[in-house]
Amino acid sequence: MLDRVAHGTLPAKPHTALRSSEGALRYEECFTRNGFEGAFSMLYHQHRPHEAEPAPLPRHFPAPRAAAERSLARRHYRCLDLPELGAPALECRLPLLFNDDIVVAFARPRAQDTAYFVNADADELWYVHAGGGTLKSPFGNLVFRTGDYVCIPRGTAHRFVPDAELDQAWLCIECKKDVGIPRHYRNPIGQLRMDAPYSHRDFRRPVLAEPSDDGVRSLVVKRNDAFSGFRARHPFQDVVGWDGSVYPFVFPILAFQPRVGQVHLPPTVHATFEAGGALVCSFVPRPLDFHEAAISCPYPHTSVHIDEVLFYANAAFGSRRGVGAGSLSHHPAGIPHGPHPGAYESSPGQTHTTEIAVMLDCTSALTATDNALSVEDAEYHQSFQA
Ligand SMILES: [Fe+2]
């Protein structure tokens, strides 16, 4: 969660009456995490926000299911070869890898959501590989584009409106534990430290306009991987003001300020978000290590607690061959991994990289789905042989 912000009209004190100029009472909604002890926001609605009634369940995405058991190996999946379902984001999300902490999925939405969605199981962190659009929520409208992370706190009613003229390709990381800023990037009062790899100004918040009615009343709620349908009685965007530290936000990956060392630094210097059981790292264009004999290519390594996932936004990843934009690699704990043949040997003297990639270091073993197997590069594990 981020810093406190305030938008629209608020009463001077929480839990006191806020009225319109005509005297209509607004309805406060306290949106709290970790019971009443964690971060929170307060929203002021024109209507009672808790009047949705059970209704038939619209279409939605599937919960992840394990593919048949198979041998441990380094894996490579080509996400852009997944089928385009011609559907909204809520219906076209295809789970690829999962464990008890996260679900990694891919979506290529072709239409706007016709229902609002509440994920009551997880915070959602999207990476927009291609495309863009608007995320609508009671907090306001949040515009996103290629290269943006979009973070949606659990419990937030939202719907995606993709730009119709753009090809869309989005990676979704469903984080069943909290996702947020690494603790060591904050000072004692919660500001981002001066030496953090980004500043408060790099984040984009929702823009709250006047209350509006998009006509959508359908609501889908996911809790414990089961989906329920509801029908709201009022517009979702009926908020006249809100303040707090819990809200959807955007962070552009290219706003990440990379670190460079005399010799190769471990991937933790690229840490961007912390989720329970997963560290999200951003690899962005940067100068490489500057020792005259530095091997800038990552060393072979055995990270004994970690299943490593990399999503490649371009084909410039220095240590890998045969991967391209839209590739997703999974290097499981139990077998070491490292550069492809030739990458390590050719790296001394290289001065820059143009790579853009998102890495997930996961502390629990990941399981693949049949969706992943359907776009697997079967030669990948063997491609590391010199
Ligand atoms: Fe690695």
Side-chain angles (χ1 to χ4, degrees):
M1 303 305 105
L2 281 175
D3 44 345
R4 174 191 177 265
V5 294
H7 296 283
T9 307
L10 302 169
K13 282 183 77 66
H15 327 314
T16 61
L18 174 67
R19 295 184 185 277
S20 71
S21 54
E22 292 80 31
L25 187 63
R26 306 308 193 189
Y27 295 90
E28 183 182 81
E29 178 190 7
C30 293
F31 192 77
T32 70
R33 293 170 70 90
N34 304 113
F36 292 90
E37 297 181 1
F40 60 88
S41 287
M42 293 181 190
L43 304 94
Y44 294 85
H45 294 265
Q46 289 179 317
H47 308 282
R48 300 171 76 224
H50 52 302
E51 291 189 328
E53 297 172 352
L57 179 63
R59 290 178 57 188
H60 54 83
F61 62 90
R65 290 191 198 289
E69 202 168 312
R70 58 195 184 142
S71 165
L72 199 63
R74 291 181 286 267
R75 305 286 181 181
H76 170 209
Y77 308 108
R78 294 189 171 100
C79 297
L80 297 181
D81 287 348
L82 288 163
E84 289 194 52
L85 303 179
L90 182 57
E91 299 173 25
C92 71
R93 190 188 304 193
L94 296 172
L96 301 173
L97 299 170
F98 66 100
N99 60 21
D100 287 341
D101 302 319
I102 65 165
V103 181
V104 179
F106 203 72
R108 307 188 75 179
R110 283 283 167 223
Q112 59 177 277
D113 284 321
T114 56
Y116 279 79
F117 175 50
V118 164
N119 191 335
D121 286 332
D123 294 334
E124 293 195 348
L125 183 66
W126 294 79
Y127 175 72
V128 181
H129 173 62
T134 302
L135 179 83
K136 290 180 167 288
S137 78
F139 294 93
N141 291 341
L142 184 60
V143 172
F144 58 91
R145 53 187 78 99
T146 298
D148 283 344
Y149 289 103
V150 182
C151 183
I152 308 170
R154 72 183 64 222
T156 303
H158 65 277
R159 71 182 187 99
F160 282 108
V161 181
D163 288 343
E165 69 276 14
L166 299 178
D167 283 336
Q168 309 286 347
W170 308 348
L171 183 74
C172 179
I173 309 157
E174 193 180 345
C175 306
K176 297 189 177 181
K177 298 166 184 166
D178 293 356
V179 64
I181 305 294
R183 185 172 294 273
H184 61 283
Y185 292 164
R186 294 194 188 265
N187 67 23
I189 66 162
Q191 280 180 306
L192 293 171
R193 290 169 52 106
M194 299 283 285
D195 57 358
Y198 38 63
S199 80
H200 290 277
R201 299 177 196 176
D202 291 320
F203 293 81
R204 298 203 305 274
R205 284 88 173 163
V207 175
L208 184 69
E210 292 297 312
S212 62
D213 184 358
D214 57 9
V216 178
R217 298 290 187 274
S218 186
L219 174 66
V220 174
V221 179
K222 182 168 87 73
R223 179 62 171 161
N224 202 21
D225 273 341
F227 292 83
S228 300
F230 293 89
R231 180 162 182 80
R233 293 181 62 186
H234 312 292
F236 285 87
Q237 293 197 303
D238 72 336
V239 169
V240 300
W242 65 269
D243 74 339
S245 302
V246 182
Y247 47 85
F249 64 79
V250 158
F251 175 72
I253 194 169
L254 292 178
F256 187 85
Q257 300 158 198
R259 303 218 167 135
V260 177
Q262 184 190 47
V263 295
H264 189 75
L265 297 172
T268 41
V269 301
H270 306 283
T272 309
F273 299 108
E274 234 170 28
L279 184 69
V280 182
C281 299
S282 301
F283 293 87
V284 296
R286 61 191 185 280
L288 292 171
D289 320 313
F290 49 86
H291 187 284
E292 61 184 6
I295 295 179
S296 58
C297 185
Y299 30 75
H301 55 281
T302 304
S303 188
V304 299
H305 285 108
I306 297 298
D307 267 30
E308 178 193 283
V309 172
L310 260 162
F311 177 78
Y312 305 80
N314 62 22
F317 206 78
S319 60
R320 302 281 158 81
R321 306 281 182 264
V323 296
S327 287
L328 186 80
S329 63
H330 173 205
H331 291 178
I335 47 178
H337 66 259
H340 267 100
Y344 188 83
E345 298 83 347
S346 64
S347 73
Q350 293 180 2
T351 59
H352 285 76
T353 177
T354 57
E355 67 193 19
I356 303 176
V358 175
M359 189 179 83
L360 307 174
D361 267 358
C362 305
T363 53
S364 294
L366 288 158
T367 299
T369 66
D370 283 332
N371 294 320
L373 271 58
S374 73
V375 292
E376 181 166 10
D377 163 13
E379 310 300 319
Y380 184 69
H381 186 90
Q382 198 61 21
S383 69
F384 285 87
Q385 305 300 332

